[in-house]
């Protein structure tokens, strides 16, 4: 790992440290960032090493919190991100914190956190909060309320935002949970069409619920179609997403 691989913002956050310590901590942050997707547990070990050496630096606590979240260490992630919020303010990680509360079996606290978001919250964070809030409502058995929580002007198949695929997918998932299968199919197809980066299994979910193969073909990327069974074969089982 090389300190120069650290982004400019992170390096600026380490300027309060002596140069040698900043470089050591920075290398651990680089390692954590590179490993977070393929080996989150090892990434977390690197983030913890950085935190042990620079616990008063907000960027270090942020890295520790987000890495702990990816590793499924919900309490640790929540503690670290609370510290970041105290140190630097802002609502950037409210959705992640709320999802940690959900994972810890505290959906009511997740909803309370969502209410703390200010009017100046970034649109992408606001959408993530809606998705988490819907999940919290669902955890509490409030299925119709979960559906309503996701509704808004951007829940429109003609609107394309970076978060549209995730929002449409979450809406479809909660419609299915509420027993509204036909609507769920339509929104899974909308999600598949909006999912340029192929981050969801929306096409498979639509097919599993009984969508016509031609409809799925029209909405899904070619790579997604390869995962579908031949017509007349068994449909893949629907997978429940935390969101």
């Amino acid at each position: 790992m090389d300190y120069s691989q650290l982004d400019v913002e992170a390096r600026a956050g380490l300027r309060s440290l002596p140069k040698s310590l900043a470089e050591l901590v920075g290398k651990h942050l680089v390692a954590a960032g590179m490993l977070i997707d393929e080996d989150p547990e090892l990434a977390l070990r690197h983030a913890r090493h950085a935190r042990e050496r620079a616990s008063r630096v907000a960027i270090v606590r942020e890295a520790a919190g987000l890495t702990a979240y990816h590793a499924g260490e919900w309490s640790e992630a929540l503690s670290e991100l609370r510290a970041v919020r105290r140190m630097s303010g802002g609502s950037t990680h409210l959705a992640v914190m709320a999802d940690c509360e959900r994972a810890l079996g505290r959906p009511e606290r997740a909803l309370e956190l969502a209410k703390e978001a200010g009017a100046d919250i970034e649109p992408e964070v606001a959408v993530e909060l809606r998705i988490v809030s819907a999940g919290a409502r669902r955890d509490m058995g409030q299925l119709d309320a979960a559906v309503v929580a996701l509704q808004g002007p951007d829940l429109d198949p003609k609107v394309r935002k970076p978060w549209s695929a995730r929002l449409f997918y979450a809406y479809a998932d909660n419609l299915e949970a509420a027993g509204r299968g036909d609507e769920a199919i339509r929104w899974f197809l909308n999600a598949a069409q909006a999912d340029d980066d192929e981050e969801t299994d929306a096409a498979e979910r639509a097919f599993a619920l009984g969508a016509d193969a031609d409809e799925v073909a029209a909405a899904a990327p070619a790579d997604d179609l390869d995962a579908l069974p031949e017509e007349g074969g068994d449909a893949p089982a629907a997978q429940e997403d935390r969101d």
Side-chain angles (χ1 to χ4, degrees):
M1 300 301 105
D2 194 290
Y3 180 72
S4 64
Q5 294 174 272
L6 201 62
D7 64 58
V8 174
E9 183 181 354
R11 274 184 274 176
L14 297 177
R15 283 177 185 164
S16 61
L17 302 175
K19 183 178 179 181
S20 59
L21 180 57
E23 291 185 356
L24 175 62
V25 169
K27 288 179 181 179
H28 281 297
L29 295 184
V30 169
M34 294 181 70
L35 291 165
I36 194 167
D37 291 324
E38 63 184 58
D39 193 341
E41 288 79 14
L42 181 55
L44 181 55
R45 286 170 58 189
H46 280 286
R48 285 170 174 165
H49 279 299
R51 183 193 60 205
E52 287 169 4
R53 291 160 175 79
S55 62
R56 296 184 180 181
V57 178
I59 195 73
V60 173
R61 302 297 291 270
E62 179 182 42
L66 294 177
T67 308
Y69 176 76
H70 280 272
E73 296 291 343
W74 316 118
S75 294
E76 182 176 352
L78 191 56
S79 176
E80 295 298 327
L81 294 177
R82 280 175 179 158
V84 173
R85 198 175 180 203
R86 288 193 301 270
M87 296 164 80
S88 57
S91 304
T92 302
H93 301 302
L94 269 183
V96 177
M97 294 168 66
D99 202 37
C100 289
E101 293 286 13
R102 278 191 65 206
L104 291 167
R106 302 189 295 237
E108 296 88 352
R109 292 192 188 180
L111 293 174
E112 290 172 5
L113 266 176
K115 291 178 182 177
E116 295 179 15
D120 59 344
I121 192 170
E122 295 178 7
E124 187 168 2
V125 178
V127 169
E128 290 297 327
L129 272 174
R130 282 162 60 195
I131 293 173
V132 175
S133 295
R137 293 288 182 191
R138 186 165 159 182
D139 294 342
M140 297 163 67
Q142 300 173 5
L143 302 183
D144 291 333
V147 171
V148 172
L150 291 164
Q151 295 173 353
D154 52 356
L155 190 70
D156 181 341
K158 297 177 183 177
V159 173
R160 285 291 184 274
K161 300 289 185 181
W163 54 82
S164 292
R166 278 184 50 75
L167 177 60
F168 296 171
Y169 186 96
Y171 192 56
D173 191 48
N174 281 283
L175 283 168
E176 182 188 1
R180 297 160 63 176
D182 289 343
E183 293 174 83
I185 288 174
R186 185 169 76 250
W187 281 98
F188 276 129
L189 291 173
N190 289 336
Q193 198 165 34
D195 192 6
D196 295 332
D197 296 328
E198 300 179 37
E199 295 178 340
T200 73
D201 61 348
E204 292 95 321
R205 294 288 297 273
F207 192 79
L209 286 173
D212 182 86
D214 291 336
E215 289 182 302
V216 176
D223 290 347
D224 282 0
L225 298 179
D226 295 339
L228 299 178
E230 296 293 332
E231 192 166 359
D234 293 333
Q239 299 176 5
E240 180 174 321
D241 186 270
R242 172 183 295 283
D243 299 332

